[in-house]
Amino acid sequence: MSPDALVEDIAHLLEVWVAGWSGCRGYELRQEGRFPAALRADKTGDWEYFAHDPADEEFAALADKTAESPNRILTVLTNDVQRYKYLAEQRGLAVTSASQTMMIVDMETQDSEDPWLPDDDLELVTSESNGVHHAVVHSGEQVAASGRVYVVNGTAVFDKIVTEPDFQRRGLGTFIMKALAAQAFSHDVENGLLLASLDGQKLYSHLGWDVVCHVLMMSSGSEGSDLSGA
């Protein structure tokens, strides 16, 4: 299915993304009503709830579940940001992040060949474990950049694309994305999907990715800042 067709069903994209993101991180999944939830065992030790444009009563139920613990997070995908900021305030939740976006790409537009590193002092190491493909660029003993990808029903879900501060502006973000795409093509993939930080959006747009919708994270505490790298 083309990215344009998929974008018409963001609820489905959310299900696919949560499955891939959780697969990348080894999170336990469950359903909360008609929406997915993931147990962030390595970060908060509690549940994160996900929804796309929930109705007011659905939002209220999810917000109340979230408010039961300061470690819980409610993440809403929407293009009506102000509505859900207002509803969050009404239910006693603080918006902890409003700058991320979901992005999608037709994988046919992405390079399927292993990329070349820009510097001779860098080395790429790739691996696969439990369906998760990893790409790590080393500079001697240091990790310079890294990322991972997990394929769900023909969609490659990219996660934790990180370039360390000392190695930024050397093209390593682009390199990691290309290295992961090359691994994803060992599967039958049609589309790519990810959540992007504000900085990441510039990189992914340059690589041909398109914004699907905004991502709001909410909590009764201070949890929830960036799903793409955190």
Side-chain angles (χ1 to χ4, degrees), residues 47-168:
W47 290 94
E48 179 164 0
Y49 306 104
F50 299 89
H52 165 246
D53 279 340
D56 287 6
E57 62 274 13
E58 291 176 319
F59 182 89
L62 290 170
D64 289 348
K65 290 286 290 185
T66 304
E68 290 175 5
S69 167
N71 292 327
R72 291 185 178 177
I73 302 167
L74 172 56
T75 295
V76 173
L77 273 62
T78 185
N79 282 315
D80 192 353
V81 171
Q82 293 306 315
R83 175 191 177 196
Y84 290 102
K85 283 185 174 180
Y86 172 78
L87 290 176
E89 182 179 357
Q90 296 303 302
R91 307 304 298 192
L93 298 182
V95 174
T96 57
S97 174
S99 62
Q100 297 173 89
T101 59
M102 173 176 277
M103 301 186 76
I104 195 169
V105 75
D106 183 344
M107 288 297 288
E108 286 190 358
T109 68
Q110 302 299 290
D111 195 343
S112 63
E113 302 295 326
D114 288 323
W116 293 92
L117 276 166
D119 297 300
D120 290 339
D121 64 328
L122 301 175
E123 178 187 14
L124 171 67
V125 177
T126 61
S127 61
E128 184 274 331
S129 177
N130 297 321
V132 184
H133 296 274
H134 299 263
V136 182
V137 173
H138 294 273
S139 176
E141 297 298 316
Q142 288 183 281
V143 172
S146 59
R148 57 187 72 176
V149 65
Y150 187 91
V151 176
V152 179
N153 298 329
T155 297
V157 179
F158 294 75
D159 184 40
K160 282 199 170 184
I161 312 302
V162 176
T163 301
E164 300 302 329
D166 290 345
F167 297 92
Q168 291 177 357

Side-chain angles (χ1 to χ4, degrees), residues 199-222:
D199 288 338
Q201 290 161 36
K202 301 173 185 176
L203 166 65
Y204 307 131
S205 294
H206 177 71
L207 295 176
W209 291 67
D210 295 313
V211 171
V212 175
C213 61
H214 296 280
V215 179
L216 288 178
M217 299 178 71
M218 313 160 200
S219 173
S220 65
S222 59

